[in-house]
Amino acid sequence: MMQSCVILCAHLHPAHHCSPARAFMAHVQRLWNYSPHPKEVGPTMVGDEHSDPNLMNYLGATKRNMLGNHFWEYYVNDAPRIVLDKLENCGYRVVSMTGVGQTLVWCLHKE
């Protein structure tokens, strides 16, 4: 099954005091140029139990079930910028990004 949309979630480290908008601009700059001061940390959630296993393998993701959750998720210990670079190499592009508390969420699409 070909997956055309991916959603990433990551947490900002509280010590960085970085707004989601500022973090988004750093990621956009990283995608197209170079950002020497990333503000995000891993782990990065990259999928759920229905995600493409080949893509999860390419990302180096591990499948886990957190205590209290009734679902499985895939995660990597890489920072989101590393995952975004890997997904860009697979043809995915960032469609949107938002911040929820200290969590950043990216939605990517592959034509």
Side-chain angles (χ1 to χ4, degrees):
M1 177 173 74
M2 186 66 153
Q3 192 171 7
S4 63
C5 186
V6 172
I7 297 178
L8 302 178
C9 296
H11 301 284
L12 284 174
H13 191 281
H16 288 134
H17 303 292
C18 179
S19 72
R22 187 172 179 192
F24 174 68
M25 292 310 296
H27 294 299
V28 169
Q29 182 181 6
R30 175 68 183 111
L31 282 174
W32 304 117
N33 197 349
Y34 172 72
S35 177
H37 305 292
K39 303 293 184 200
E40 73 286 350
V41 296
T44 303
M45 274 40 98
V46 294
D48 62 15
E49 67 263 26
H50 305 293
S51 296
D52 178 9
N54 293 324
L55 180 60
M56 296 300 107
N57 187 47
Y58 171 74
L59 295 174
T62 303
K63 192 175 183 181
R64 69 178 177 188
N65 177 264
M66 299 294 289
L67 183 63
N69 288 346
H70 301 290
F71 58 89
W72 291 81
E73 64 187 8
Y74 282 97
Y75 78 99
V76 296
N77 286 320
D78 296 328
R81 64 187 172 84
I82 303 299
V83 178
L84 289 169
D85 284 347
K86 287 180 179 180
L87 289 169
E88 182 182 30
N89 290 335
C90 289
Y92 287 90
R93 300 290 178 256
V94 174
V95 175
S96 65
M97 182 271 182
T98 190
V100 182
Q102 290 183 342
T103 300
L104 300 175
V105 180
W106 293 264
C107 181
L108 292 87
H109 186 265
K110 182 176 182 179
E111 295 294 325

